[in-house]
Amino acid sequence: MELRHLKYFLAIADAGQITAAAKKLQIAQPPLSQQLMQLEEELGVKLVHRGSRSIRLTEAGIILRNRAKQILELTDATTREMNDFAMGMKGTLTIGTVSSSGATLMKDRLSEFHKTYAGVKFEIHEGNTFRILDLLNKGIIEVGIVRTPFNTTDLGCRYAESEPMVAVMTEEHDWSPEQKTISLAELKNRPLIIYRRFEQLIHNTCMKHGFEPNIFCKNDDARTTLHWANEGLGIGMISRSALSLGSNNHLIVKEISCEELHTRVAAVWLKDKYMSSLASRFIESFSEASRAADLQ
C-alpha cells in the first residue's frame, strides 16, 4: 500500500463519488476506479458500496479513512520537520493548544517567540486537553499547551505560573457584593456552571470541604460557561485566564480562595522522541517566560 493509494481513497471518501474525486485529482475515472479495486484486493476487504451515482463507505472503509487522514497528516508533519531541520530556524512549528489558554498564549508566549525567530511560521491545532494529547501521541503536533490536571506519563512538561479559579455571576446571584474573594464553602447549594474538564476536580474538592456541589450545567467549552453565567442562569467556575475568551459585560468576578482549585498551563511533549530545533527553542522560551513570571 502506497501513500498515493491512501490519497486516492481519501479523495473518493471525501467526495462520495469516484467521478468527482477523479476531477479533483485531475486523473481519469477508469484508472481511479482500478486503483480502488487494487487497494481492496491488497487489503482483502470491501471498502465502499458502489451505487449508480455515489459510493458509501463500508465499516472497513470508515476505519481506513480515519487512518489515512492520520497517516497523511503525519507524513506532511514529517516532511515539514525535515525541511525545518535543513533550514535551521526557518520552518513551521506545529502546536496544539486548549481554548482556555489560547488567547493568553498567543499574546504572550508565541508573540515573544516570534520576535526572536521572525522566520518561523506556525500551525495551530485547538481542542480540549484530551484532544491535544491525542494529537501529540499521533505525531501531528510537536508541542501541546494543556491545562492541569492531566496524565504526565511519557510526557516532558514545563509549567506556567499557577492561577486560581474564579466564580463569575450576574448581580442577581451575587450574595455579597463587597467581596472580591470567596471561600469554596460559599458556593454550597448555589447553581454551578462548569467546564466538564474540571468536573472531577471540582466535585472531589467540594466533597473534601464537606458538601456536594450543585451542578446546574456541565459543558465542553469555557466560553459556554461564560455565556450561561452572563445570561444569569447560574454561577460559572472557570480558570482566571479564561475570562479573556468571551464578553463579560454583566459578570461579577470573585476569586475562589482554595489552593486545591488552582490550575496551571503546561507545555508538553513526548519523551524519547525526536524533537525539532524549533520545538526545542519554543520549550526553552516557554520555560524562561514561566521563570520570569514566578519571580515577579
Side-chain angles (χ1 to χ4, degrees):
M1 182 169 55
E2 300 178 15
L3 287 177
R4 64 185 175 88
H5 292 147
L6 295 180
K7 291 179 181 178
Y8 290 164
F9 173 72
L10 200 55
I12 294 170
D14 289 343
Q17 192 182 60
I18 295 178
T19 302
K23 289 181 179 179
K24 182 178 180 181
L25 293 168
Q26 296 184 330
I27 62 176
Q29 180 181 339
L32 183 58
S33 297
Q34 187 176 10
Q35 291 285 342
L36 176 59
M37 292 175 61
Q38 290 175 355
L39 183 59
E40 288 180 319
E41 289 176 5
E42 181 180 349
L43 296 176
V45 294
K46 190 175 182 64
L47 297 173
V48 303
H49 296 295
R50 293 165 174 80
S52 58
R53 294 180 177 272
S54 62
I55 59 96
R56 179 168 54 85
L57 296 180
T58 63
E59 288 187 15
I62 293 172
I63 292 173
L64 182 60
R65 179 188 61 188
N66 295 336
R67 291 290 182 265
K69 286 182 178 180
Q70 295 170 7
I71 291 169
L72 293 175
E73 285 178 347
L74 182 57
T75 300
D76 289 341
T78 302
T79 301
R80 290 193 301 269
E81 191 172 88
M82 293 299 99
N83 290 336
D84 291 347
F85 182 81
M87 292 188 295
M89 286 297 103
K90 291 183 179 180
T92 301
L93 178 60
T94 55
I95 296 178
T97 175
V98 291
S99 59
S100 59
S101 67
T104 302
L105 175 69
M106 293 298 290
K107 184 178 70 174
D108 299 332
R109 304 293 197 271
L110 284 182
S111 61
E112 286 300 315
F113 185 77
H114 178 62
K115 289 177 184 177
T116 305
Y117 304 105
V120 175
K121 296 180 181 179
F122 300 94
E123 184 174 314
I124 305 297
H125 295 258
E126 295 181 294
N128 61 30
T129 291
F130 301 113
R131 169 167 163 74
I132 298 306
L133 293 178
D134 182 53
L135 292 175
L136 192 64
N137 282 309
K138 289 175 179 172
I140 295 172
I141 60 174
E142 273 201 281
V143 180
I145 306 299
V146 295
R147 182 175 290 281
T148 59
F150 57 87
N151 187 349
T152 60
T153 304
D154 298 326
L155 295 178
C157 306
R158 291 289 184 274
Y159 294 94
E161 59 274 15
S162 176
E163 63 173 300
M165 294 191 75
V166 296
V168 293
M169 66 203 77
T170 50
E171 190 174 284
E172 60 264 36
H173 288 286
D174 187 3
W175 65 94
S176 183
E178 70 281 359
Q179 284 183 275
K180 299 299 181 183
T181 301
I182 60 172
S183 68
L184 182 61
E186 291 179 75
L187 295 176
K188 182 179 180 180
N189 297 326
R190 302 187 189 278
L192 302 179
I193 305 166
I194 66 170
Y195 177 27
R196 187 174 280 103
R197 172 82 175 83
F198 295 137
E199 179 182 3
Q200 197 64 48
L201 175 64
I202 290 172
H203 182 271
N204 291 346
T205 305
C206 288
M207 294 298 289
K208 184 178 177 180
H209 284 252
F211 68 98
E212 184 170 355
N214 175 23
I215 307 298
F216 169 66
C217 171
K218 289 182 288 188
N219 59 73
D220 292 313
D221 196 314
R223 285 167 289 202
T224 303
T225 297
L226 285 168
H227 176 72
W228 278 52
N230 207 38
E231 291 297 319
L233 298 172
I235 298 173
M237 292 180 68
I238 56 173
S239 58
R240 184 171 58 192
S241 61
L243 289 169
S244 63
L245 293 175
S247 175
N248 313 311
N249 298 334
H250 306 299
L251 289 179
I252 297 163
V253 180
K254 297 178 185 289
E255 182 176 318
I256 303 170
S257 180
C258 180
E259 282 296 324
E260 297 102 311
L261 291 183
H262 276 57
T263 66
R264 304 170 78 183
V265 169
V268 298
W269 64 96
L270 292 178
K271 292 179 180 177
D272 303 321
K273 183 186 175 185
Y274 170 79
M275 179 181 288
S276 72
S277 53
L278 289 177
S280 297
R281 294 296 177 90
F282 177 76
I283 294 296
E284 291 175 11
S285 174
F286 187 93
S287 300
E288 290 167 2
S290 297
R291 285 194 292 269
D294 287 340
L295 292 173
Q296 291 178 356

